[in-house]
Amino acid sequence: MSSTTGHHPGRIGIMAAMPEELQALLDVMPDETMQRVAGREFWVGHLHGREVVAVLSRIGKVAAATTTTMLLSHYGVDQVIFTGVAGGLGEGVRVGDVVVADALIQHDMDASPLFPRFELPGQGVSALSPPAAFTARVRETVEQVLSPASLAAGGALADVHLAALQLAQPRVHQGLIISGDQFINAAQTCRELIQVLPAALAVEMEGAAVAQVCHDFSVPYAVIRTISDRADDDAHIDFPRFIDAVARHYSLAIVEALLQRV
Ligand code: SAH
């Protein structure tokens, strides 16, 4: 599998933001065993011939950073894949689309006037990026999984009924994802975020923390988010229904494809 594509078939860490996404993954892993460390349940096993450690990230930056550190330091994974949902910010980023991060910023990091707003103190940058070649492979894989042809073919995505949910064919976007310890559900807050971070495509609560830890460990990572809401005044209404009907299916199909490609 991975040997034919020339990629390093190491141990891969998979972080799911939602219990439904993790469960979908565990359902297809044949041999996983659970280890409880630091109050988290790490599932160690295999999928598609790869060694996998799957875990719920938990919500928020500190929780996600701790989980990531455990994956890297305790389990020695050499790649991290994060899947979850996010609020859409960018123009044309619709519910049901998928965003692959090529840069991540903590939108609530502000040590000004000591450091410019958003800058990570001591690191001299605000945005962190996974290796470009890795992101390109991830993006291509996600595009393939969600292409009209593969959606029409059914398979892993046969249970997603886009028309019934009044969703369009998903578009795959690549760009900036912003993270903070805040569920954004007000149009006014969205406008404020876009004003200060105009390139932001999506907002969520973990990605930039995962990025910071992976950056420190020099391990490639992907943050892949299905847009569950527009982070506006209806954000909380759209949310649970969407995870069950769409996000967990996309997430599983994407992770399975990535295991064979990255
Ligand atoms: N209802 C959930 C709470 C989820 S909090 C529960 O009961 O557990 C929202 C989660 O989805 C976070 O992990 C965050 O990363 C992501 N998310 C989705 N939409 C978001 C938004 N509009 N603002 C911030 N985070 C969002």
Side-chain angles (χ1 to χ4, degrees):
M1 251 177 272
S2 9
S3 56
T4 58
T5 55
H7 304 313
H8 170 54
R11 181 182 262 201
I12 192 160
I14 300 176
M15 296 175 74
M18 299 291 145
E20 295 87 345
E21 289 173 305
L22 178 66
Q23 193 53 54
L25 185 65
L26 297 179
D27 286 347
V28 297
M29 284 173 69
D31 63 345
E32 76 280 10
T33 56
M34 191 268 276
Q35 300 175 6
R36 199 183 300 273
V37 193
R40 288 150 168 79
E41 296 182 349
F42 290 85
W43 297 89
V44 183
H46 295 82
L47 191 55
H48 299 300
R50 299 284 301 267
E51 259 188 78
V52 167
V53 185
V55 63
L56 205 57
S57 69
R58 310 232 285 206
I59 294 173
K61 293 189 302 171
V62 174
T66 304
T67 308
T68 310
T69 305
M70 295 294 306
L71 279 176
L72 295 168
S73 170
H74 188 85
Y75 287 100
V77 306
D78 42 30
Q79 292 174 341
V80 172
I81 305 289
F82 186 109
T83 67
V85 294
L89 284 181
E91 214 177 306
V93 179
R94 301 166 303 190
V95 172
D97 288 356
V98 172
V99 178
V100 176
D102 64 14
L104 297 111
I105 290 177
Q106 294 176 34
H107 69 72
D108 55 357
M109 172 60 75
D110 187 356
S112 62
L114 304 178
F115 299 92
R117 188 173 176 192
F118 307 122
E119 186 167 307
L120 300 169
Q123 295 193 227
V125 293
S126 54
L128 294 175
S129 295
F134 189 73
T135 304
R137 274 208 301 278
V138 170
R139 185 220 169 113
E140 279 163 26
T141 307
V142 175
E143 270 172 351
Q144 221 163 55
V145 169
L146 299 179
S147 70
S150 76
L151 280 167
L157 297 177
D159 290 337
V160 179
H161 304 291
L162 290 174
L165 295 159
Q166 294 181 303
L167 293 177
Q169 279 289 327
R171 278 186 237 165
V172 180
H173 309 266
Q174 179 182 319
L176 173 65
I177 290 182
I178 60 175
S179 315
D181 287 322
Q182 211 185 348
F183 184 78
I184 307 295
N185 63 347
Q188 176 59 26
T189 317
C190 290
R191 281 193 290 274
E192 286 163 15
L193 287 171
I194 290 165
Q195 197 164 28
V196 288
L197 294 166
L201 298 181
V203 60
E204 36 87 316
M205 302 176 68
E206 298 85 15
V210 174
Q212 190 172 344
V213 178
C214 289
H215 177 86
D216 285 350
F217 280 78
S218 302
V219 163
Y221 59 94
V223 176
I224 304 158
R225 294 281 188 170
T226 304
I227 302 302
S228 56
D229 57 85
R230 279 290 307 180
D232 57 13
D233 306 286
D234 297 325
H236 56 292
I237 302 169
D238 301 339
F239 193 75
R241 175 166 161 259
F242 182 79
I243 288 163
D244 188 58
V246 179
R248 69 191 170 103
H249 303 286
Y250 282 4
S251 167
L252 178 62
I254 289 168
V255 166
E256 289 203 88
L258 284 173
L259 285 171
Q260 300 167 72
R261 287 283 301 276
V262 299

